[in-house]
Amino acid sequence: MMKNLIPLLFVCTVLFISCNSCSNDSADIVDGTKDGDTADETKVVDVDASLFLTSNGSVTVTTVPCTLSDGTSTDCYQIVANSTPADHEMGPWCPDNISDAADKGGIWLENGEVYDVDGAFIENMANFYNDSTWKMYDANGDIYTTETEDDCANAANPNVGEEYENFCVECLPSYVTDLTQTYLIPITPVKQSTSTDFGGFGPPGMGGNGPSQRGVAFNGVVFDAPAPTDAILGAYTLAPFDDAGGHINLNAGYHYHAATGVSTQLAQDDGHSAMIGYAMDGFGLYAQLDANGEEPTDLDDCRGHSDETRGYHYHVAAPGSNSFINCLNGAYAN
Ligand SMILES: [Zn+2]
Ligand SMILES: [Zn+2]
């Protein structure tokens, strides 16, 4: 089965995994109401295609027929995006020298925290990870960084050679100019009685039947599965994210592993957290914190809840968590 694919270093979003043969859970779908839910549970908000940033051509949205994971035949938005967000620059990722300030590098996520990958972070890695193998810079303080598309491809190989140990890995936008990604999102989300775990890469037996990708930002950039940071660090490499939480690989293009508030946010009139995109099931994705800096206290296991204005929707996790949402409560496009 697809979920038995071996882990692929850095290749976090190669495939949009769908699995007709292994999702036999459609028989027991009911209307999504349970345990005395209030009326707002029934409010369903369609995906608003006009929210996507289509004006510069980096994202196109068309309506196509689709079949959802619960068997629903309906219409979906087909979102085709190149790797060029219209609303912010990409990078930088790797600083050049251990004297560089934070503006010359990106971020790294560890233990729930966001760290600036500045020169000092690189210089301190042996201490930070308590492992003297780390030394990612030469006698001049210059940081060893992948320089070419070949370097980028090689450093992303699961059998990354020792020659890439102690390299800061960055793949540049110029390597993926021909790449587009296509996402299919139900226009009208259909809530399910049980949640679906995300599928994707991992050891055999891990992962669910759902897609591996979590959602799409208004700029067409995907909110991706967690970055395989253990594998990255295990190879003594560092593949920083830029300040928007994104980086590039040659298959997935530019993709996010953290929601840092850089991509377009749609402020809400009532002080609710800003909207940042849509989950793969068509329910809205919102920032973690509301206007008062508070996280909702009634989120379900997928990080969703309902209100009268937005219906069911999700709140993404903290940027340092290397995750967005934990599962899908709606049907997704097969
Ligand atoms: Zn990644
Ligand atoms: Zn909310």
Side-chain angles (χ1 to χ4, degrees), residues 10-13 224-228 232 241 247-249 255-257:
F10 306 157
V11 183
C12 326
T13 58
D224 213 338
I232 295 168
F241 319 101
H247 65 181
I248 289 170
N249 77 45
H255 56 280
Y256 293 131
H257 291 293

Side-chain angles (χ1 to χ4, degrees), residues 94-95 98 108 110 115-137 143-144 166-169 229 232-240:
C94 298
I98 57 172
W108 187 244
E110 192 66 59
Y115 293 88
D116 276 321
V117 179
D118 53 12
F121 181 90
I122 300 285
E123 185 177 18
N124 190 48
M125 284 191 75
N127 277 330
F128 189 77
Y129 286 113
N130 195 26
D131 182 340
S132 60
T133 306
W134 287 105
K135 188 172 184 300
M136 204 173 274
Y137 55 94
I143 293 165
Y144 305 124
N166 277 309
F167 263 74
C168 189
V169 179
T229 51
I232 295 168
L233 296 169
Y236 292 100
T237 59
L238 190 72

Side-chain angles (χ1 to χ4, degrees), residues 272 296 305 307 313 315:
H272 183 274
H305 69 170
D307 67 35
H313 61 276
H315 287 261

Side-chain angles (χ1 to χ4, degrees), residues 201-237:
F201 305 102
M206 299 289 284
N209 294 337
S212 66
Q213 296 161 326
R214 277 51 176 166
V216 183
F218 296 128
N219 59 18
V221 175
V222 71
F223 294 110
D224 213 338
T229 51
D230 287 350
I232 295 168
L233 296 169
Y236 292 100
T237 59

Side-chain angles (χ1 to χ4, degrees), residues 7-258:
L8 293 177
L9 190 59
F10 306 157
V11 183
C12 326
T13 58
V14 181
L15 299 170
F16 184 100
I17 294 179
S18 63
C19 185
N20 292 311
S21 60
C22 53
S23 54
N24 296 318
D25 54 350
S26 57
D28 57 358
I29 300 309
V30 293
D31 63 2
T33 58
K34 57 183 179 181
D35 56 48
D37 284 336
T38 48
D40 59 41
E41 185 80 2
T42 62
K43 181 183 174 79
V44 176
V45 180
D46 281 359
V47 173
D48 183 349
S50 73
L51 298 179
F52 289 94
L53 308 181
T54 56
S55 59
N56 78 339
S58 63
V59 183
T60 61
V61 183
T62 54
T63 302
V64 298
C66 59
T67 303
L68 305 186
S69 52
D70 66 349
T72 303
S73 291
T74 184
D75 283 338
C76 285
Y77 284 131
Q78 177 174 272
I79 299 160
V80 179
N82 66 24
S83 276
T84 312
D87 49 357
H88 68 81
E89 299 291 320
M90 292 179 275
W93 292 278
C94 298
D96 293 327
N97 188 279
I98 57 172
S99 65
D100 281 345
D103 64 324
K104 297 289 177 31
I107 60 173
W108 187 244
L109 315 175
E110 192 66 59
N111 289 325
E113 299 291 325
V114 176
Y115 293 88
D116 276 321
V117 179
D118 53 12
F121 181 90
I122 300 285
E123 185 177 18
N124 190 48
M125 284 191 75
N127 277 330
F128 189 77
Y129 286 113
N130 195 26
D131 182 340
S132 60
T133 306
W134 287 105
K135 188 172 184 300
M136 204 173 274
Y137 55 94
D138 67 15
N140 296 321
D142 290 331
I143 293 165
Y144 305 124
T145 302
T146 55
E147 299 289 350
T148 65
E149 183 170 346
D150 274 351
D151 279 349
C152 156
N154 291 338
N157 188 303
N159 303 311
V160 55
E162 283 188 13
E163 64 266 35
Y164 289 103
E165 279 188 4
N166 277 309
F167 263 74
C168 189
V169 179
E170 63 178 11
C171 300
L172 301 179
S174 58
Y175 306 161
V176 293
T177 51
D178 295 337
L179 206 58
T180 60
Q181 307 294 331
T182 301
Y183 312 107
L184 216 52
I185 292 182
I187 296 174
T188 303
V190 183
K191 192 138 186 275
Q192 306 293 291
S193 60
T194 56
S195 62
T196 304
D197 288 339
F198 289 108
F201 305 102
M206 299 289 284
N209 294 337
S212 66
Q213 296 161 326
R214 277 51 176 166
V216 183
F218 296 128
N219 59 18
V221 175
V222 71
F223 294 110
D224 213 338
T229 51
D230 287 350
I232 295 168
L233 296 169
Y236 292 100
T237 59
L238 190 72
F241 319 101
D242 63 17
D243 287 351
H247 65 181
I248 289 170
N249 77 45
L250 296 180
N251 299 296
Y254 182 73
H255 56 280
Y256 293 131
H257 291 293

